CSV table of all heavy atoms in Angstrom, one decimal:
chain,number,residue,atom,x,y,z
A,752,SER,N,20.0,23.1,-12.4
A,752,SER,CA,20.2,22.9,-10.8
A,752,SER,C,18.8,22.7,-10.1
A,752,SER,O,18.8,22.3,-9.0
A,752,SER,CB,20.8,24.1,-10.4
A,752,SER,OG,20.2,25.3,-10.7
A,753,THR,N,17.7,23.1,-10.7
A,753,THR,CA,16.4,22.9,-10.1
A,753,THR,C,15.3,22.5,-11.0
A,753,THR,O,15.5,22.6,-12.3
A,753,THR,CB,16.0,24.3,-9.3
A,753,THR,OG1,15.8,25.2,-10.3
A,753,THR,CG2,16.9,24.6,-8.2
A,755,TYR,N,12.7,21.5,-13.7
A,755,TYR,CA,12.7,20.5,-14.9
A,755,TYR,C,14.1,20.4,-15.4
A,755,TYR,O,14.5,19.4,-15.9
A,755,TYR,CB,11.9,21.3,-16.1
A,755,TYR,CG,10.4,20.8,-15.9
A,755,TYR,CD1,9.5,21.8,-15.9
A,755,TYR,CD2,10.1,19.5,-16.0
A,755,TYR,CE1,8.0,21.4,-15.6
A,755,TYR,CE2,8.7,19.1,-15.9
A,755,TYR,CZ,7.7,20.0,-15.7
A,755,TYR,OH,6.4,19.7,-15.6
A,776,PHE,N,22.7,29.3,-12.4
A,776,PHE,CA,23.0,30.5,-11.8
A,776,PHE,C,22.6,30.3,-10.2
A,776,PHE,O,21.5,30.6,-9.9
A,776,PHE,CB,22.3,31.8,-12.4
A,776,PHE,CG,23.0,33.1,-12.3
A,776,PHE,CD1,24.3,33.2,-11.8
A,776,PHE,CD2,22.4,34.1,-12.8
A,776,PHE,CE1,24.9,34.4,-11.8
A,776,PHE,CE2,23.1,35.4,-12.7
A,776,PHE,CZ,24.3,35.6,-12.2
A,777,GLU,N,23.5,30.1,-9.4
A,777,GLU,CA,23.1,29.7,-8.0
A,777,GLU,C,24.1,30.4,-7.1
A,777,GLU,O,25.3,30.8,-7.5
A,777,GLU,CB,23.2,28.2,-7.7
A,777,GLU,CG,22.2,27.4,-8.6
A,777,GLU,CD,20.6,27.7,-8.2
A,777,GLU,OE1,20.4,28.3,-7.2
A,777,GLU,OE2,19.8,27.4,-9.1
A,813,ASP,N,26.2,33.3,-15.5
A,813,ASP,CA,25.1,33.8,-16.3
A,813,ASP,C,25.0,33.1,-17.7
A,813,ASP,O,25.8,33.5,-18.5
A,813,ASP,CB,25.1,35.3,-16.5
A,813,ASP,CG,24.0,35.9,-17.1
A,813,ASP,OD1,23.1,35.1,-17.6
A,813,ASP,OD2,24.0,37.1,-17.4
A,814,ALA,N,24.1,32.3,-18.0
A,814,ALA,CA,24.0,31.5,-19.2
A,814,ALA,C,23.8,32.5,-20.4
A,814,ALA,O,24.0,32.0,-21.5
A,814,ALA,CB,23.0,30.5,-19.0
A,840,SER,N,16.6,24.9,-20.3
A,840,SER,CA,15.5,24.9,-19.2
A,840,SER,C,15.7,26.0,-18.3
A,840,SER,O,15.7,26.0,-17.1
A,840,SER,CB,15.5,23.6,-18.4
A,840,SER,OG,14.5,23.6,-17.5
A,925,SER,N,8.3,24.3,-22.7
A,925,SER,CA,7.2,25.4,-22.7
A,925,SER,C,6.0,25.0,-21.9
A,925,SER,O,6.0,23.9,-21.3
A,925,SER,CB,6.9,25.6,-24.2
A,925,SER,OG,5.9,26.7,-24.3
A,945,LYS,N,6.8,32.3,-24.8
A,945,LYS,CA,6.7,30.9,-25.2
A,945,LYS,C,6.5,30.7,-26.7
A,945,LYS,O,7.0,29.7,-27.3
A,945,LYS,CB,5.8,30.2,-24.3
A,945,LYS,CG,6.3,30.1,-22.8
A,945,LYS,CD,7.6,29.2,-22.7
A,945,LYS,CE,7.9,29.1,-21.2
A,945,LYS,NZ,9.4,28.6,-21.1
A,972,LEU,N,3.8,22.6,-12.6
A,972,LEU,CA,4.4,22.0,-11.3
A,972,LEU,C,4.9,23.1,-10.6
A,972,LEU,O,5.4,24.2,-11.1
A,972,LEU,CB,5.5,21.0,-11.7
A,972,LEU,CG,5.1,19.7,-12.0
A,972,LEU,CD1,6.1,18.8,-12.5
A,972,LEU,CD2,4.4,18.9,-10.8
A,974,THR,N,7.5,25.1,-9.0
A,974,THR,CA,9.0,25.2,-9.1
A,974,THR,C,9.2,26.7,-8.6
A,974,THR,O,8.3,27.4,-8.5
A,974,THR,CB,9.6,25.1,-10.4
A,974,THR,OG1,9.1,26.0,-11.2
A,974,THR,CG2,9.2,23.7,-11.0
B,2021,NAD,P1,13.4,26.7,-12.0
B,2021,NAD,O1,13.3,28.1,-11.6
B,2021,NAD,O2,13.2,25.4,-11.1
B,2021,NAD,O3,14.8,26.5,-12.8
B,2021,NAD,C1,15.5,27.5,-13.5
B,2021,NAD,C2,16.9,27.1,-13.7
B,2021,NAD,O4,17.4,28.2,-14.6
B,2021,NAD,C3,17.7,27.0,-12.6
B,2021,NAD,O5,18.7,25.9,-12.8
B,2021,NAD,C4,18.5,28.3,-12.5
B,2021,NAD,O6,19.8,28.2,-11.8
B,2021,NAD,C5,18.7,28.6,-14.0
B,2021,NAD,N1,19.0,29.9,-14.4
B,2021,NAD,C6,18.2,31.1,-14.0
B,2021,NAD,N2,18.8,32.2,-14.6
B,2021,NAD,C7,20.0,31.9,-15.1
B,2021,NAD,C8,20.9,32.5,-15.7
B,2021,NAD,N3,21.0,33.8,-16.0
B,2021,NAD,N4,22.1,31.8,-16.1
B,2021,NAD,C9,22.3,30.5,-15.8
B,2021,NAD,N5,21.2,29.8,-15.3
B,2021,NAD,C10,20.1,30.5,-14.8
B,2021,NAD,O7,12.4,26.7,-13.2
B,2021,NAD,P2,11.4,25.5,-14.0
B,2021,NAD,O8,10.1,25.8,-13.6
B,2021,NAD,O9,12.1,24.2,-13.9
B,2021,NAD,O10,11.6,26.1,-15.5
B,2021,NAD,C11,12.4,25.6,-16.5
B,2021,NAD,C12,11.7,25.7,-17.8
B,2021,NAD,O11,10.6,25.0,-17.7
B,2021,NAD,C13,11.3,27.1,-18.1
B,2021,NAD,O12,11.4,27.5,-19.5
B,2021,NAD,C14,9.7,27.0,-17.8
B,2021,NAD,O13,8.8,28.0,-18.5
B,2021,NAD,C15,9.5,25.6,-18.3
B,2021,NAD,N6,8.1,25.0,-17.7
B,2021,NAD,C16,7.9,25.2,-16.4
B,2021,NAD,C17,6.7,24.6,-15.9
B,2021,NAD,C18,6.3,24.7,-14.5
B,2021,NAD,O14,5.1,24.5,-14.1
B,2021,NAD,N7,7.2,24.8,-13.6
B,2021,NAD,C19,5.8,24.0,-16.8
B,2021,NAD,C20,6.1,23.9,-18.2
B,2021,NAD,C21,7.3,24.5,-18.6
Side-chain angles (χ1 to χ4, degrees):
S752 54
T753 56
Y755 275 117
F776 210 7
E777 300 292 345
D813 183 4
S840 186
S925 187
K945 290 301 188 189
L972 278 170
T974 63

